[in-house]
């Protein structure tokens, strides 16, 4: 798990529209990079909709939001459209970026072992330094938690 003070690894991936996106933390005061296991599943939908529902607070505080999963890009567009998500969803099919963020590895579900994305979130400052890190987050109210925690960083 990356810790506050660590430099965030670079991110260049395809978004839900198939466009290549390079995340530049200098584009906002803070950048939220949240890793989620699978688009359009209950927990991932709750988490994404939480960010959507708090969108005005994120925009008002100059906080960018980026979701990353190992879903193929073509699966992300219907998810983003179905739930009217106003932020980029990035496809990391090989888990390379998620691995660099200590958010990818061996998981077990229903007796099966497989590699997948862990539900972790990082908040980066405008210089690309991790300022907040959340491991194994609960998708419910996570967006509200981030809004509150980033406001506390400002004093």
């Amino acid at each position: 798990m990356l810790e506050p003070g660590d430099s965030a690894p670079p991110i260049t991936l395809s978004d839900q529209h198939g466009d290549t996106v390079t995340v530049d933390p200098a584009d906002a005061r803070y950048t939220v990079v949240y890793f989620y296991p699978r688009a359009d599943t209950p927990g991932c939908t709750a988490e994404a909709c939480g960010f959507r529902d708090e969108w005005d607070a994120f925009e008002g505080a100059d906080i960018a939001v980026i979701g990353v999963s190992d879903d193929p890009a073509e699966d992300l567009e219907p998810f983003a459209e179905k739930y009217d998500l106003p932020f980029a969803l990035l496809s990391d099919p090989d888990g390379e970026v998620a691995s660099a963020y200590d958010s990818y590895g061996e998981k077990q579900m229903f007796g099966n072992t497989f590699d997948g994305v862990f539900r972790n979130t990082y908040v980066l400052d405008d210089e690309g330094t991790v300022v907040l890190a959340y491991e194994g987050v609960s998708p419910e109210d996570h967006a509200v938690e981030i809004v509150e925690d980033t406001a506390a960083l400002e004093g």
Side-chain angles (χ1 to χ4, degrees):
M1 184 80 187
L2 299 177
E3 299 292 334
D6 290 346
S7 292
I11 300 173
T12 299
L13 294 168
S14 294
D15 71 3
Q16 69 263 37
H17 308 293
D19 298 326
T20 300
V21 172
T22 297
V23 176
D24 184 354
D27 289 344
R29 178 183 291 158
Y30 296 109
T31 301
V32 174
V33 180
Y34 82 94
F35 293 90
Y36 64 97
R38 187 73 49 223
D40 214 7
T41 58
C44 297
T45 298
E47 187 173 22
C49 289
F51 284 111
R52 177 204 62 203
D53 294 347
E54 294 299 319
W55 189 246
D56 288 345
F58 284 108
E59 276 195 318
D62 192 24
I63 301 171
V65 176
I66 307 292
V68 180
S69 75
D70 60 357
D71 291 306
E74 57 269 13
D75 289 355
L76 299 177
E77 187 167 26
F79 177 55
E81 288 179 5
K82 181 177 181 180
Y83 295 101
D84 196 26
L85 303 179
F87 49 86
L89 298 176
L90 303 183
S91 173
D92 184 21
D94 299 323
E96 290 179 26
V97 169
S99 292
Y101 279 80
D102 296 328
S103 297
Y104 190 86
E106 189 174 280
K107 300 170 71 169
Q108 290 190 352
M109 184 182 297
F110 307 120
N112 296 316
T113 301
F114 58 95
D115 287 338
V117 176
F118 304 137
R119 193 182 305 279
N120 296 336
T121 301
Y122 296 94
V123 178
L124 317 178
D125 68 11
D126 60 356
E127 296 179 2
T129 301
V130 175
V131 294
L132 297 168
Y134 305 84
E135 184 174 17
V137 303
S138 172
E140 300 296 327
D141 299 320
H142 183 50
V144 172
E145 176 184 30
I146 292 172
V147 168
E148 292 171 352
D149 290 352
T150 53
L153 291 172
E154 300 296 312

